[in-house]
Amino acid sequence: MGTVRNILCTKGHEVFSVEPAVTVYDAIELMSQKNIGGLIITDHRSERLLGIFTERDYARRLILKGKSSKDTEIGEIMTENPTTVCPDDSIEDCMKLMTNRRIRHLPVIEGGRLTGMISIGDVVRFIMNEQRGIIEDLEQYITGHHQ
């Protein structure tokens, strides 16, 4: 099975982030424009990871508590100290983390720096592609069309 690094090589390392003072409305607008389900919250001066904000945070910590997205800063409702992974962590370990902690996004940290983010969709896509390759290899072996 592959590693987080394999996903990032295909997906890229681009991470969308905002500072904690950004309004929830502006964060949701950015997420909509970029078609993403989560944003990293950083201190842009130090580039330090402060938290993560996801659609689930929006639903549970803003809407259900009757807060206004235009009056609430993202830092008030973000998930602090999010679970992170390293590029050399296995996809299997990521799946276990996501399942056990019921999360859909994992920031990727290497050498103390944020280098990417993977989602459950990225993990599923990687596994499907890997399995497709295995099936094709087996079909070639069985039919004698291997090299």
Side-chain angles (χ1 to χ4, degrees), residues 42-108:
T42 59
D43 175 345
H44 285 300
R45 289 176 302 239
S46 68
E47 297 182 10
R48 199 181 66 153
L49 173 66
L50 300 176
I52 189 169
F53 173 75
T54 66
E55 293 162 333
R56 184 176 284 177
D57 293 324
Y58 178 75
R60 294 182 179 177
R61 297 182 179 170
L62 188 91
I63 299 298
L64 289 178
K65 294 190 178 180
K67 294 183 178 188
S68 163
S69 61
K70 290 191 177 186
D71 299 327
T72 305
E73 292 182 355
I74 202 88
E76 293 178 43
I77 65 167
M78 70 181 180
T79 299
E80 294 183 58
N81 304 312
T83 302
T84 63
V85 292
C86 298
D88 294 324
D89 287 344
S90 74
I91 302 301
E92 185 176 357
D93 288 342
C94 292
M95 281 181 49
K96 287 177 187 173
L97 270 175
M98 292 172 149
T99 301
N100 293 339
R101 298 190 183 180
R102 292 190 166 101
I103 55 177
R104 297 174 183 213
H105 299 86
L106 291 169
V108 181

